[in-house]
Amino acid sequence: METHNIENITPAIADEYLKLNTHNRKVSKASVAFLINEIQKGNWRFNGIPIIFGNSGKLLDGQHRLLAISKAGISKKFSVVRGVEDTAFITIDAGKPRGGSDALSVDNVPNATIVASSCRKIMDKFASERPTVNGVVVKASTSDIYNFYFQNEAKIKHLVSLANGWHSKGGGVINKTDVVAMLWLLNKEDKKAFDFIEEVATGSYDGKINKTAQTLRNRLIRAKTEMGRLSDGEIKDLFLVAFRQYLKGIEISKIVVRSQQKFK
């Protein structure tokens, strides 16, 4: 017979429940580190998703959450379901997980997919500055993205509007999310970031052309048409090298990245 209860699971209780984890998928260290980070930052919320035990007593679902509770040393409230047929294990977690764009869409945020991806790139600085937990790199969570957007809603809406306009005008040379994130991050170094990125995205700024901006634009065009997709890290390095030369008034015909670049 199935039962359903709400329990406050302490680290000690989590350890006991994990002794019943004898028939489960391989533990993902990245998933555990992600959950520990969520708990420690205060992002964790009771959402009703249960810890599930089969009719044999085995733990069917919840090993990563229980490991996170154990390692974080913090108690949390969970739904706990017992008595489910053991064979139901193969149907658990078969649905599509919710991401940042899903959370924003529910609140009717325009351009939710672009916004969510832009927020992630801003927060982790194009995958160059992600936090680590127990030596494991942790990505931005849905809660992180949601909170960041609503803390900066007006500014992000403005940047997305610029990105949409420049994308149409410039033939989509730069991904819209890269435009938004670069405007945010490079503007912290110098307000000329808007002029520079507009030219890279559209081909000119106020009718003027700068050789360094054009060099970066052409490099991005070649990546789309000849060289293959650039990683977030490669995009970051190209932009930072070119932008800093641009600020110095140095015109370049080739972008040479000698080492990994960091945002200030």
Side-chain angles (χ1 to χ4, degrees):
M1 177 181 175
E2 297 88 358
T3 63
H4 178 207
N5 297 292
I6 307 298
E7 299 182 15
N8 185 53
I9 297 182
T10 65
I13 291 173
D15 289 339
E16 288 301 309
Y17 285 170
L18 285 165
K19 292 178 182 178
L20 302 172
N21 189 34
T22 59
H23 183 70
N24 215 321
R25 57 185 170 171
K26 184 179 179 180
V27 170
S28 165
K29 292 181 180 179
S31 294
V32 175
F34 174 81
L35 293 172
I36 291 172
N37 195 46
E38 286 291 274
I39 291 169
Q40 292 176 336
K41 288 193 301 186
N43 281 345
W44 188 269
R45 298 288 185 273
F46 174 74
N47 57 18
I49 298 175
I51 305 294
I52 303 174
F53 292 93
N55 52 12
S56 66
K58 295 176 182 177
L59 177 67
L60 300 185
D61 191 43
Q63 63 173 344
H64 293 98
R65 286 170 285 166
L66 292 171
L67 282 165
I69 293 294
S70 175
K71 293 179 182 295
I74 299 173
S75 302
K76 289 293 176 182
K77 182 170 66 175
F78 287 92
S79 296
V80 180
V81 172
R82 292 182 170 83
V84 172
E85 289 286 340
D86 285 358
T87 54
F89 173 78
I90 61 173
T91 69
I92 295 171
D93 290 336
K96 177 183 179 293
R98 289 181 175 86
S101 62
D102 298 311
L104 294 173
S105 293
V106 169
D107 276 358
N108 298 312
V109 173
N111 303 292
T113 300
I114 295 170
V115 168
S117 181
S118 300
C119 289
R120 177 186 60 76
K121 289 180 179 181
I122 292 168
M123 286 186 288
D124 69 17
K125 296 185 176 180
F126 283 78
S128 67
E129 295 186 25
R130 290 175 175 168
T132 59
V133 176
N134 297 331
V136 179
V137 176
V138 178
K139 64 180 181 179
S141 69
T142 297
S143 296
D144 289 330
I145 292 169
Y146 185 91
N147 293 336
F148 183 85
Y149 172 73
F150 282 106
Q151 288 164 5
N152 303 281
E153 183 175 7
K155 183 174 181 178
I156 293 173
K157 279 185 175 179
H158 174 60
L159 297 182
V160 170
S161 176
L162 288 177
N164 282 332
W166 293 350
H167 191 270
S168 298
K169 182 179 178 181
V173 170
I174 313 178
N175 186 299
K176 294 177 184 179
T177 62
D178 292 339
V179 171
V180 174
M182 282 297 173
L183 284 172
W184 181 288
L185 294 166
L186 293 184
N187 188 55
K188 293 180 180 295
E189 297 193 21
D190 196 288
K191 295 189 182 301
K192 291 181 181 178
F194 280 77
D195 303 350
F196 176 74
I197 294 173
E198 180 177 354
E199 180 170 351
V200 175
T202 67
S204 68
Y205 166 69
D206 197 25
K208 301 173 184 176
I209 291 178
N210 175 274
K211 186 173 182 180
T212 300
Q214 293 297 320
T215 297
L216 176 56
R217 176 177 170 84
N218 290 333
R219 176 67 179 81
L220 296 172
I221 290 173
R222 289 201 309 276
K224 278 183 172 292
T225 59
E226 304 169 18
M227 305 172 70
R229 185 177 181 273
L230 296 169
S231 68
D232 282 352
E234 290 171 323
I235 291 169
K236 166 185 65 70
D237 290 343
L238 289 170
F239 264 92
L240 286 175
V241 168
F243 182 57
R244 287 165 183 165
Q245 296 292 81
Y246 172 86
L247 291 178
K248 294 175 183 177
I250 299 173
E251 294 191 342
I252 57 175
S253 56
K254 183 178 181 181
I255 301 172
V256 179
V257 179
R258 302 189 187 281
S259 61
Q260 187 180 77
Q261 304 295 300
K262 290 187 177 182
F263 291 100
K264 294 181 180 178

